[in-house]
Amino acid sequence: MKQTLGYLALPLLMAAAFATQARADGETIAVFTKNQTNPFFQTVRVGADNMAKALNAKTLQYIPTKPDSIPEQLSQIEDVVVKKPSAIVFTPVDYKAMVPGVEKINEAKIPVVNITDRSAGGKFLSFVGADDYSLGLETARFLLKTLGGKGNIVIIEGVKGSLTNVDRVRGFNDALKENSGAKLLASQPGNYQRLQALQVMENLMQSNPQIDGVLAANDAMAVGAIEALDGANRKAQVIGINGTKEAIDAIKSGKLLASGDYNGFAQGCLGTMMAIRSLRNQPVISEIVLKPTVITKDNYQPFDVPLEQRTCPTFEDAGKLGAK
């Protein structure tokens, strides 16, 4: 049933699925992600699906049809509160704007786990995410080390004001401060979208004849920047963040220097695991902050595995992964 539903945010399909949720052998976990355009969230959804299947539960995916739409996610919360799934795994499209929605979930007494972007308010069973500052810092350090600590750098940011973007860009900038020979030419938003990043990069190349490095706040924008560079027959070292399949392929082909990974697959797995364990009165871990990995041509092999063939961490693994 779950595979048939796929990842479409279609109210009629959801209603039909909720109507059958009273199965004796499984809970229904509503999984909220931000969009269908960023491959990172596909890894989150597959991780959630895999864990639910392993624990004999099922998922329903709530995805705004317009990427990162605050009104649409608020509307989806209204819908889920009425339909009352067993629990919710929730990524806010905006960590501040969605707080009233989380409070409605709390008022409805539906257990909820926060993943990926930490909400600015509301009550959660657990948080599963990563340290975006470290992701930005470590990936930028790798780029600058490759460039010998010098060169002309541009930053392509995500959504201005989003927590992930604020922390990743702060990491980028701190790495730049460590390298006095590096010069930041510009820092502009691409809103985590590939096409927008391509257009931003085209504009940056017109005004800057020499760009040596590109720090992109996610993989989709890094790929967009590479397409712009290729279109202009120019070269620069580019890094992204997310560890998506597209990024791994680009690293293998030499197009992308590196991608910072914070394991969206594990986030989906562990968020769903904590929700189900709570429903079954089993212990949960209140906070799991995954450590970043900089994926390069030297260590990409473990990440070059189809999502469907990956295995979710165990509860024991979860404690180790989130250990500080």
Side-chain angles (χ1 to χ4, degrees):
M1 180 68 174
K2 177 181 62 189
Q3 294 301 322
T4 302
L5 286 169
Y7 301 112
L8 298 177
L10 300 177
L12 290 177
L13 289 177
M14 291 174 180
F18 275 114
T20 60
Q21 70 173 316
R23 297 188 311 158
D25 61 346
E27 301 89 347
T28 299
I29 310 300
V31 180
F32 282 69
T33 47
K34 298 167 73 168
N35 57 62
Q36 297 192 73
T37 55
N38 186 343
F40 169 79
F41 291 109
Q42 174 67 356
T43 70
V44 172
R45 292 188 284 268
V46 174
D49 287 352
N50 284 10
M51 179 55 76
K53 183 178 180 180
L55 296 178
N56 200 27
K58 65 179 180 180
T59 60
L60 290 171
Q61 305 290 343
Y62 278 81
I63 312 164
T65 53
K66 181 181 178 183
D68 297 46
S69 168
I70 292 171
E72 195 170 351
Q73 192 173 69
L74 284 170
S75 175
Q76 290 178 337
I77 288 175
E78 297 280 356
D79 183 67
V80 85
V81 164
V82 171
K83 304 225 176 107
K84 286 190 178 299
S86 308
I88 294 172
V89 174
F90 188 74
T91 305
V93 297
D94 183 289
Y95 76 108
K96 291 182 180 176
M98 297 314 299
V99 171
V102 176
E103 290 172 345
K104 286 186 178 179
I105 294 171
N106 292 155
E107 290 168 3
K109 301 189 184 307
I110 303 171
V112 55
V113 174
N114 183 196
I115 65 169
T116 307
D117 289 25
R118 194 187 293 269
S119 173
K123 297 176 182 177
F124 295 93
L125 294 170
S126 177
F127 171 75
V128 181
D131 180 349
D132 284 288
Y133 171 76
S134 296
L135 273 168
L137 181 68
E138 296 303 327
T139 49
R141 279 175 170 170
F142 186 80
L143 172 72
L144 292 162
K145 181 180 179 182
T146 302
L147 294 174
K150 59 186 179 182
N152 293 330
I153 310 297
V154 298
I155 294 175
I156 303 180
E157 302 186 26
V159 176
K160 284 280 190 183
S162 70
L163 192 58
T164 54
N165 183 64
V166 169
D167 286 347
R168 290 175 192 181
V169 172
R170 186 163 58 90
F172 289 165
N173 281 308
D174 281 356
L176 285 165
K177 291 175 185 173
E178 296 173 350
N179 294 269
S180 58
K183 180 181 180 182
L184 178 62
L185 300 176
S187 185
Q188 296 184 8
N191 294 320
Y192 290 133
Q193 302 298 315
R194 178 174 176 161
L195 179 58
Q196 290 185 39
L198 184 153
Q199 294 166 340
V200 167
M201 191 67 199
E202 287 177 339
N203 292 335
L204 288 172
M205 286 190 295
Q206 287 180 3
S207 53
N208 296 283
Q210 181 64 43
I211 296 175
D212 302 299
V214 180
L215 295 163
N218 78 352
D219 287 339
M221 295 194 300
V223 172
I226 290 170
E227 290 173 341
L229 286 161
D230 286 348
N233 197 27
R234 287 174 60 168
K235 301 290 184 185
Q237 297 285 3
V238 181
I239 64 102
I241 288 177
N242 284 158
T244 61
K245 181 183 185 306
E246 193 171 31
I248 302 302
D249 290 343
I251 290 170
K252 288 164 62 179
S253 68
K255 289 281 189 180
L256 183 68
L257 178 66
S259 176
D261 176 62
Y262 65 151
N263 209 333
F265 181 80
Q267 290 189 32
C269 292
L270 296 173
T272 304
M273 175 196 289
M274 296 307 149
I276 295 172
R277 286 181 66 87
S278 174
L279 293 169
R280 298 178 183 179
N281 295 317
Q282 296 172 326
V284 301
I285 301 171
S286 60
E287 181 165 303
I288 301 173
V289 179
L290 302 168
K291 297 178 178 62
T293 300
V294 180
I295 305 171
T296 72
K297 63 181 176 58
D298 296 322
N299 68 352
Y300 72 84
Q301 290 86 354
F303 302 90
D304 192 23
V305 177
L307 285 174
E308 292 74 14
Q309 296 177 20
R310 297 187 187 184
T311 304
C312 281
T314 65
F315 183 67
E316 289 71 27
D317 291 336
K320 297 174 185 174
L321 287 169
K324 296 181 179 178

